[in-house]
Amino acid sequence: MATCYRHASRETGVSCSNCGRPICPDCMTTTPVGMRCPECAKQRTKVVRMRELASVPRVTYALIAINVVAFLAEQGQFSFYGSSIHGPVINEGVLFREAIAQGHHQYWRLVTSAFLHESLLHIAFNMYLLYLLGMMLEPAIGSVRFAAIYITALLVGSFGVVFATNAPSLGASGAVFGLMGAAVVELRARGISVQQSGIGGLIVINLIFSFAVPNISVGAHIGGLVGGFLAGLAIRAADGQKVPALGLLACVLLSAAAVFAAIAVSATTGSGIA
């Protein structure tokens, strides 16, 4: 694959529409006749750089705010690493099989568990990753698509929890893993190396961490990763066919399937942190 003429270490599948030189995202300038390199862009009376097109990642900020507010409401005594003493917010919001099994029907836990965190370290790590991925992905695909991917990954991650373990689980990392999966789809579609972008390494490190550290909800991580990847793939395919509504519809169907599947397999009760 060609490398950017200004950044030799960056592979790219995009070329300047005027001179044909390969350019990376940082060098792309959008014009009515396609992407242009910085030199060719200067020949136009008015150009807009890609990063200037990026909107404020409002959904990312909103999700972080909701998680922080939920964390503040969880308990009066904060813990850096975690505590076995939980208040009613966690007790009523944490996800485990028995809570959504027949006779209980506490289906809200499929969603609320993804906004609760065990400790200050837990929420800090998840919100840091959410911020990084949101700043990269939301401006690139738009707030509506970003929100659709996040919700889909969250619910598929919750299904992963119910399917893989009977232990209580909470945390946003299932949805965050989904953003990583969607980022892979978007990077490949734009001709950008997943490994050189750092996303590939981030996924590998977090997967190793998921399997190596006790009390981590592997089901939430794997489920979220798969859910986000499929949602991103559906949205990208629909955009390619110029029918963006189909991508959002696919996310709705994936989310609904995850909820019904979680309800179907929930039977026994089972401690994991997502």
Side-chain angles (χ1 to χ4, degrees):
M1 180 177 288
T3 57
C4 177
Y5 81 100
R6 298 179 72 215
H7 303 95
S9 62
R10 302 182 186 177
E11 294 183 344
T12 180
V14 180
S15 299
C16 174
S17 62
N18 186 47
C19 67
R21 290 182 292 189
I23 48 178
C24 69
D26 284 342
C27 297
M28 295 177 190
T29 301
T30 185
T31 72
V33 291
M35 296 297 178
R36 293 201 169 185
C37 66
E39 285 74 14
C40 292
K42 292 176 183 178
Q43 301 171 10
R44 311 300 299 178
T45 56
K46 183 179 180 180
V47 294
V48 182
R49 299 187 66 80
M50 282 193 69
R51 61 181 56 189
E52 293 172 352
L53 291 174
S55 59
V56 177
R58 294 182 177 86
V59 173
T60 298
Y61 292 149
L63 289 170
I64 292 174
I66 293 171
N67 277 276
V68 170
V69 170
F71 181 71
L72 293 175
E74 284 174 14
Q75 50 194 5
Q77 181 178 357
F78 297 119
S79 169
F80 189 77
Y81 292 105
S83 172
S84 59
I85 303 175
H86 296 146
V89 175
I90 285 186
N91 292 336
E92 293 299 322
V94 68
L95 174 62
F96 53 98
R97 283 182 193 169
E98 188 179 50
I100 61 173
Q102 186 175 6
H104 293 86
H105 308 302
Q106 298 175 1
Y107 305 134
W108 66 83
R109 294 177 184 268
L110 293 169
V111 177
T112 58
S113 60
F115 293 94
L116 302 176
H117 291 84
E118 178 77 8
S119 66
L120 185 60
L121 183 64
H122 189 200
I123 189 173
F125 183 72
N126 279 343
M127 293 305 100
Y128 176 68
L129 288 179
L130 173 55
Y131 175 78
L132 290 181
L133 292 163
M135 292 296 289
M136 178 190 75
L137 195 56
E138 185 177 350
I141 65 175
S143 295
V144 174
R145 291 177 177 85
F146 180 83
I149 289 171
Y150 191 90
I151 294 170
T152 303
L154 184 158
L155 291 171
V156 178
S158 292
F159 162 70
V161 171
V162 175
F163 179 80
T165 180
N166 62 353
S169 177
L170 70 165
S173 55
V176 171
F177 261 84
L179 297 182
M180 296 184 204
V184 169
V185 174
E186 192 64 23
L187 288 169
R188 289 179 62 86
R190 293 171 181 253
I192 302 172
S193 169
V194 175
Q195 290 301 323
Q196 289 188 6
S197 70
I199 295 298
L202 185 64
I203 293 175
V204 171
I205 291 172
N206 277 277
L207 284 175
I208 293 174
F209 183 78
S210 301
F211 286 98
V213 178
N215 297 325
I216 296 294
S217 184
V218 177
H221 292 186
I222 300 299
L225 182 64
V226 172
F229 180 83
L230 292 177
L233 206 60
I235 287 175
R236 171 54 66 173
D239 287 350
Q241 296 297 318
K242 302 187 186 303
V243 192
L246 287 180
L248 298 178
L249 177 60
C251 289
V252 172
L253 294 176
L254 280 170
S255 298
V259 171
F260 285 118
I263 294 172
V265 301
S266 60
T268 60
T269 186
S271 158
I273 300 174

